[in-house]
Amino acid sequence: MKSKYDVIIIGAGIGGLVCGCYLEKQGISSIILERLNKPGGYCSSFKVNHHSFDVGPHSFGSCRKEGQIGKLIRELELESKLIFKQKSLSNIIKTPEYTVNFGNNVSKTISSLQEIFPEERKNIDGLFTLITEKNFMYLYSQLKGKTFQQILDKFLKNHKLKTILGVLVGNLGLSPVSTAALTAVILYREHIFDGGYYPSEGTQKFSDVLADKYQDLGGEIVFQSEVKKILIKNNKAKGVITRNEKFINGNCIVSNCDAVHTYTKLIGEENLDESFLETIHSLVPSPSFFVVHLGLTKPIKNSIIKCSTFWFLDSYDIETIYKDVRKSDVFTKRKYIVMGFPYLEKNEDETDVISLLVLASYKDGTEWEKDKNKLAESLIKQAKQILPEISDNISSIWINTPDFFNKYTFNSGGSISGWASTPEQVESNSIGLVGNVANLYHCGHWVTSPGGQGGIPMVIYSGKATAKKLML
C-alpha cells in the first residue's frame, strides 16, 4: 500500500470496481477500500451447505452488445472470463385470469399482450412505440415529471392490463403510482426486454472478474478495511482514516456507498451546511426486500422456471400491497410473491435454488427476529402451491431481512436500489457525481439522475461517468 493515491474509492461494489477499472486504464492510480472480505456488495453470493445463494440480483439485464454490461465486457476485454447465459423469458406474471410472458423478443411480447387484450391492440402498440423510442431526448421530453401510472393511464383503458404492466416496476421497490416514468421505461428496455441473464458461474463470479481486472490494470484492493472517516480540510477531502486507524492520502475520494452514511458518518454533519443536510435527510430511499432462499435436495423442472422471475398476484390491487409495505406490514392479506430462478449450468428450466421475495420496510433486528420465521413459513407455503415439486425437497433455508441488507452494505433501511425513483427525486440531482465537498465524488445507486435507478446497468453507467469526470 502506498502513502498517497490519485483516487481513493470507498466500497468494492460494482460501481466502485467499474470506476476503478476505467481510472486505471487511463493511468490514474487508485485504491479500493472494502469493509467486507470479498467484492461485489449486493452483487455477491454466499454458500449454505452446497448451495450458492445470491445476496442481491438473481438475474441481470443490459447484456446485449450495446447494453451497459455488454459494453463493459467488451471495453475491459472480459469476453473469455465472463459469460452470461440468457433464459427464454425474463419474467412471467400470473394473475387470477392470465399468465403473461415477457422476453427479449419485443414483438412477440407485444403480440401476446394483444392476443390477451384484443380491444387494446392499438393502445398497446402506442405504448410500446414510446417505450422503445430510440430518440432519447424525445423520450425524456415525453416522460419528464410523470409517473409510470400516468403513462399507462394515457395509453390504456383496461385496469387488469395496466396492473400487469405496472407490477414489473416492483423491481425498483415502488408501485407505478410512485415510479418515475423514465425510470420505468429504462427498466423495461434494459431489464425486461434485455433481461433474464445470469453469469455462467454465478453472481459472485461477475464481481470477482471485475476485481481481478482492476488489479491486473494496476489497482489495489484492500478487503476488511472499513473507512471510518473522510478527512476534510478547508472544505476539501484530503484522505481517509480506516477502522484500524491507518491514514491514506488521496487527491480525490469516490464514495461508492450510501450517501447518508458518507455525509453524516464519514464526513460529519459539522462539515456540512444546513441546507444540504436538510436535503440529505429529506431524500427517501427505496424499500428493502424480505428474501427466503431455498436449496433443494434434487433439481426440479417446471415450465415457469424458464423465466428468471415469476410474479404471482391473487388480485389486481397492487397499490394495497405497496401501502402495506409502507406501513411495515409485510403480512398483507393479499397473496403476493416473487420467485427468482438463477440460470443453472445444466438447463434453463431446471433449478435446485429458488429465492422467494416480497418488498419489506426496515425494522431493527430485534423486531425481525420475532417475525421472520412466520413470514418465511407463509412464503414457503405459497411457493409449494405454485411449485408442488419442492414439497419434501427442501434441504436448506436461509432468510435475509431488511436488517441484514442494512448491516451488509450500510444501505439506509436495507434499501434495494438507492434512492426511491420518484419523479421528484430523479429530477432533483441532489446527490450528483460531484460531491458537496471539494475533491469528493459519488458513484453507484446513491447518485440521483434523470434516469433514476435501474439496478446494475445504471450502477455501471455511473461508475464510468464518475471515472470520466476524474479524467478531465
Side-chain angles (χ1 to χ4, degrees):
M1 187 185 294
K2 297 186 293 189
S3 60
K4 186 173 183 179
Y5 296 83
D6 293 328
V7 180
I8 299 170
I9 300 172
I10 304 172
I14 298 302
L17 292 170
V18 169
C19 181
C21 284
Y22 283 88
L23 289 174
E24 291 294 336
K25 280 187 70 176
Q26 296 300 315
I28 298 173
S29 69
S30 63
I31 185 172
I32 298 177
L33 303 175
E34 170 56 52
R35 59 182 284 268
L36 300 175
N37 63 359
K38 57 186 174 183
Y42 277 168
C43 201
S44 60
S45 308
F46 58 97
K47 291 276 189 179
V48 177
N49 298 326
H50 65 282
H51 294 106
S52 180
F53 297 140
D54 297 321
V55 172
H58 60 267
S59 70
F60 293 75
S62 201
C63 295
R64 68 191 185 281
K65 184 178 179 180
E66 294 307 317
Q68 289 299 330
I69 292 179
K71 287 190 289 186
L72 180 75
I73 291 173
R74 189 171 67 256
E75 291 170 358
L76 296 182
E77 300 177 330
L78 301 174
E79 291 92 342
S80 64
K81 298 180 179 179
L82 195 55
I83 299 170
F84 281 82
K85 292 189 172 184
Q86 188 179 28
K87 289 207 171 190
S88 302
L89 302 170
S90 60
N91 293 264
I92 295 176
I93 299 175
K94 173 72 174 174
T95 70
E97 296 166 77
Y98 309 110
T99 298
V100 185
N101 298 334
F102 291 83
N104 61 353
N105 187 322
V106 180
S107 297
K108 188 174 180 180
T109 299
I110 292 172
S111 294
S112 65
L113 286 168
Q114 291 173 328
E115 287 177 14
I116 297 170
F117 301 97
E119 76 284 2
E120 293 272 31
R121 179 173 292 275
K122 289 186 179 179
N123 296 333
I124 291 170
D125 272 335
L127 173 63
F128 284 100
T129 296
L130 179 64
I131 287 177
T132 57
E133 169 62 51
K134 292 183 179 180
N135 185 329
F136 194 80
M137 292 309 298
Y138 172 78
L139 187 67
Y140 178 73
S141 70
Q142 296 299 303
L143 302 179
K144 185 178 186 294
K146 295 182 173 65
T147 68
F148 191 48
Q149 188 65 52
Q150 287 175 313
I151 299 303
L152 292 174
D153 290 340
K154 176 182 177 180
F155 283 94
L156 307 173
K157 298 176 181 178
N158 189 296
H159 172 67
K160 295 175 181 178
L161 173 59
K162 287 189 277 189
T163 297
I164 289 167
L165 295 175
V167 74
L168 289 171
V169 297
N171 283 291
L172 304 169
L174 300 172
S175 73
V177 170
S178 304
T179 304
L182 184 60
T183 308
V185 166
I186 292 173
L187 177 79
Y188 260 87
R189 292 158 72 120
E190 303 301 325
H191 194 71
I192 308 303
F193 291 148
D194 188 35
Y197 297 92
Y198 193 74
S200 62
E201 296 178 55
T203 294
Q204 187 64 56
K205 178 71 172 180
F206 180 39
S207 300
D208 289 345
V209 167
L210 285 178
D212 290 343
K213 183 65 178 183
Y214 170 68
Q215 292 172 100
D216 290 343
L217 289 166
E220 295 181 54
I221 300 181
V222 183
F223 295 107
Q224 295 180 306
S225 182
E226 181 182 338
V227 172
K228 185 176 75 172
K229 204 74 178 173
I230 296 174
L231 293 183
I232 304 296
K233 187 175 181 180
N234 298 325
N235 199 39
K236 292 182 179 180
K238 294 292 186 180
V240 302
I241 296 177
T242 63
R243 182 62 63 186
N244 61 2
E245 302 300 329
K246 185 172 183 61
F247 171 69
I248 304 173
N249 199 348
N251 293 329
C252 295
I253 313 296
V254 175
S255 175
N256 183 46
C257 59
D258 179 286
V260 174
H261 180 79
T262 300
Y263 284 104
T264 62
K265 302 294 184 184
L266 302 186
I267 291 176
E269 296 189 4
E270 68 277 6
N271 293 304
L272 303 169
D273 61 71
E274 289 187 12
S275 62
F276 181 72
L277 270 175
E278 288 177 6
T279 298
I280 281 285
H281 290 301
S282 68
L283 291 171
V284 179
S286 58
S288 187
F289 270 125
F290 179 91
V291 185
V292 181
H293 295 288
L294 303 179
L296 306 182
T297 305
K298 57 183 179 181
I300 61 169
K301 283 195 172 187
N302 189 292
S303 61
I304 70 168
I305 297 171
K306 285 187 176 181
C307 73
S308 290
T309 309
F310 177 82
W311 305 72
F312 175 80
L313 303 170
D314 75 337
S315 81
Y316 298 93
D317 185 16
I318 59 172
E319 195 58 33
T320 295
I321 294 170
Y322 288 95
K323 285 178 181 176
D324 289 341
V325 171
R326 289 193 291 271
K327 293 186 297 184
S328 299
D329 181 10
V330 292
F331 298 99
T332 174
K333 294 178 181 178
R334 300 291 187 191
K335 287 185 179 179
Y336 145 70
I337 190 172
V338 182
M339 304 174 71
F341 310 112
Y343 195 141
L344 286 188
E345 286 287 332
K346 302 172 185 177
N347 203 313
E348 70 164 331
D349 63 350
E350 182 175 282
T351 192
D352 64 359
V353 172
I354 299 173
S355 298
L356 313 178
L357 309 92
V358 288
L359 288 168
S361 292
Y362 178 75
K363 299 186 289 186
D364 66 36
T366 305
E367 286 190 71
W368 272 114
E369 282 302 314
K370 293 186 300 183
D371 293 337
K372 70 178 187 180
N373 289 329
K374 182 180 176 183
L375 179 55
E377 289 172 7
S378 173
L379 294 179
I380 293 171
K381 183 178 178 180
Q382 284 192 59
K384 287 179 177 179
Q385 292 172 347
I386 296 167
L387 281 175
E389 297 94 329
I390 69 174
S391 299
D392 303 319
N393 190 24
I394 299 172
S395 60
S396 303
I397 298 175
W398 189 267
I399 302 170
N400 287 342
T401 68
D403 180 59
F404 161 81
F405 293 117
N406 171 252
K407 290 177 178 176
Y408 194 77
T409 62
F410 287 162
N411 275 7
S412 298
S415 167
I416 58 171
S417 57
W419 303 119
S421 293
T422 61
E424 300 79 18
Q425 292 194 162
V426 300
E427 294 291 339
S428 69
N429 199 30
S430 304
I431 309 295
L433 298 175
V434 180
N436 188 254
V437 173
N439 301 342
L440 176 68
Y441 296 79
H442 299 283
C443 68
H445 61 196
W446 293 100
V447 175
T448 54
S449 73
Q453 293 308 324
I456 299 299
M458 293 300 289
V459 167
I460 290 172
Y461 177 82
S462 78
K464 291 170 68 173
T466 301
K468 187 175 180 180
K469 282 276 185 185
L470 287 160
M471 293 173 199
L472 297 177

